[in-house]
């Protein structure tokens, strides 16, 4: 039985199969609807964090595929507090055919997978956001018609989104660069396997502190919120350090070509990116949001059909 927790646990060929399946399922949906591949099956959606895209996209994925999704909020389980993670996993496995969890600590979703007898999907953790990365990859592929040889530059805080983005870029032959303030970089423990994977597929990994230097020649400029849920106590320090890393017209002018701009949302407009960029002709942020639906359908079909 497979789980979808961390992209490092999947081969490049397997992820390519998922993207091909996502393209097929999206075409089917646009042409009149998906067949009910998951009829009679249910997905438990366990949330420690609030959500717009994760909740609605997974719920609609299951509906489009003929199945059912069950929303379980933080007050209903108290994952690891009211009830042990192992017991939650074992109980849910008796009721449903899959579990999606959006958590704080990455170990919580790992432990769900250890003790569940059904597939577990990481809907987001503090370390990884693999479903978002697959939607991002689908968006890049749709825009350029390829992934090999493209250069993706992540600007801002080296967080979970940056980690999964680097992984998927490496799997699909893209070069990956980060531009972060000192002390906000992705860890070497995360970057080292991304470098090794990128070298196998003709890509490279670079790290910068100067965002203007980092974005030169980029095909994709990616940013995310500077203060994630659970980090509010440190917000003022982070915002001050990250102000020079705003994605704005000046930064895009330094790229030297019309790169697409990506953001996984929710966006704090006026902080990590400006309105004119978010709503401008280079922005594909709402394509990304839509593609959560189609990329996750592929994951669900692969794991649960």
């Amino acid at each position: 039985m497979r789980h979808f927790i961390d992209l490092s646990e999947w081969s490049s060929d397997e992820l390519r199969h998922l993207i091909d399946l996502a393209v097929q399922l999206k075409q089917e949906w646009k042409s009149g609807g998906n067949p009910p591949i998951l009829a009679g099956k249910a997905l438990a959606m366990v949330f420690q964090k609030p959500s717009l895209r994760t909740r609605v996209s997974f719920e609609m994925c299951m509906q489009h595929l003929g199945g059912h999704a069950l929303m379980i909020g933080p007050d209903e389980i108290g994952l690891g507090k009211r009830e042990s993670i192992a017991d939650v996993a074992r109980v849910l496995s008796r009721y449903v055919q899959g579990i999606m969890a959006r958590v704080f600590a990455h170990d919580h979703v790992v432990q769900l997978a250890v003790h569940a007898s059904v597939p577990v999907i990481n809907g987001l953790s503090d370390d990884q956001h693999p479903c978002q990365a697959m939607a991002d990859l689908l968006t890049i592929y749709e825009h350029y018609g390829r992934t090999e040889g493209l250069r993706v530059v992540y600007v801002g805080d080296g967080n979970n989104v940056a980690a999964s983005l680097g992984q998927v870029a490496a799997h699909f032959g893209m070069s990956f660069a980060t531009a972060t303030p000192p002390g906000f970089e992705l860890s070497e423990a995360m970057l080292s396997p991304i470098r090794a994977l990128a070298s196998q597929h003709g890509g490279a990994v670079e790290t910068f502190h100067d965002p203007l230097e980092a974005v030169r020649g980029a095909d994709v400029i990616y940013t995310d919120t500077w203060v994630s849920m659970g980090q509010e106590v440190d917000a003022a320090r982070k915002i001050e350090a990250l102000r020079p890393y705003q994605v704005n017209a000046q930064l895009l002018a330094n790229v030297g070509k019309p790169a697409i701009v990506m953001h996984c949302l929710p966006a704090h407009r006026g902080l990590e990116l400006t309105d004119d960029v978010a709503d401008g002709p280079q922005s594909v942020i709402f394509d990304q949001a839509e593609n959560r639906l189609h990329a996750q359908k592929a994951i669900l079909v692969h794991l649960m059909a």
Side-chain angles (χ1 to χ4, degrees):
M1 181 180 57
R2 297 297 300 276
H3 303 289
F4 198 77
I5 306 295
D6 185 324
L7 295 179
S8 66
E9 299 167 350
W10 289 68
S11 73
S12 300
D13 286 343
E14 288 173 326
L15 294 178
R16 286 180 186 276
H17 166 72
L18 288 180
I19 291 298
D20 290 342
L21 182 56
V23 170
Q24 174 193 329
L25 291 166
K26 184 173 182 177
Q27 289 172 344
E28 285 178 356
W29 175 247
K30 298 288 187 181
S31 299
N34 301 120
I37 305 171
L38 298 183
K41 298 193 176 182
L43 177 74
M45 305 189 300
V46 178
F47 285 89
Q48 290 182 333
K49 298 183 177 186
S51 167
L52 169 60
R53 279 149 296 277
T54 299
R55 180 188 174 172
V56 177
S57 60
F58 269 107
E59 194 159 324
M60 296 314 297
C61 283
M62 292 299 291
Q63 181 174 313
H64 292 177
L65 294 168
H68 178 73
L70 175 66
M71 164 71 176
I72 307 171
D75 295 336
E76 296 170 274
I77 289 183
L79 197 64
K81 296 178 181 177
R82 177 178 175 271
E83 194 164 359
S84 75
I85 295 172
D87 285 355
V88 170
R90 292 172 181 134
V91 169
L92 287 177
S93 296
R94 302 292 182 103
Y95 297 148
V96 300
Q97 289 71 48
I99 300 168
M100 184 283 296
R102 180 177 170 89
V103 300
F104 287 99
H106 185 73
D107 187 60
H108 284 188
V109 73
V110 171
Q111 289 303 310
L112 279 172
V114 167
H115 296 285
S117 56
V118 297
V120 174
I121 298 169
N122 180 1
L124 175 140
S125 72
D126 283 350
D127 290 0
Q128 300 284 342
H129 202 350
C131 292
Q132 180 66 54
M134 294 300 285
D136 297 337
L137 191 283
L138 178 59
T139 307
I140 293 168
Y141 175 73
E142 288 177 337
H143 187 84
Y144 285 108
R146 63 184 175 93
T147 58
E148 289 78 5
L150 298 177
R151 185 166 184 268
V152 177
V153 180
Y154 178 92
V155 180
D157 181 26
N159 61 11
N160 51 356
V161 171
S164 291
L165 181 67
Q167 289 177 326
V168 83
H171 273 294
F172 284 83
M174 295 183 281
S175 290
F176 177 66
T178 59
T180 63
F184 290 80
E185 304 91 344
L186 284 173
S187 70
E188 187 55 36
M190 174 56 69
L191 283 173
S192 182
I194 293 175
R195 283 197 192 95
L197 185 61
S199 67
Q200 294 174 24
H201 295 284
V205 174
E206 301 174 281
T207 58
F208 296 86
H209 290 145
D210 182 352
L212 294 175
E213 181 184 0
V215 300
R216 291 191 186 108
D219 300 289
V220 178
I221 306 296
Y222 200 119
T223 191
D224 187 20
T225 180
W226 291 343
V227 181
S228 299
M229 281 178 279
Q231 300 177 349
E232 290 81 4
V233 69
D234 203 26
R237 182 185 72 88
K238 292 192 75 175
I239 290 170
E240 191 59 33
L242 286 157
R243 284 194 190 281
Y245 295 81
Q246 183 184 73
V247 176
N248 52 33
Q250 179 187 0
L251 187 76
L252 294 188
N254 224 53
V255 177
K257 59 181 181 180
I260 60 173
V261 174
M262 306 185 80
H263 191 307
C264 63
L265 301 177
H268 296 83
R269 290 162 176 257
L271 289 180
E272 67 265 16
L273 83 170
T274 54
D275 280 341
D276 61 313
V277 171
D279 299 323
Q282 294 172 246
S283 171
V284 296
I285 62 177
F286 299 110
D287 294 337
Q288 288 173 263
E290 178 187 346
N291 279 335
R292 287 288 300 275
L293 182 71
H294 307 296
Q296 289 163 189
K297 280 184 187 177
I299 296 164
L300 290 165
V301 168
H302 185 83
L303 295 178
M304 293 174 60

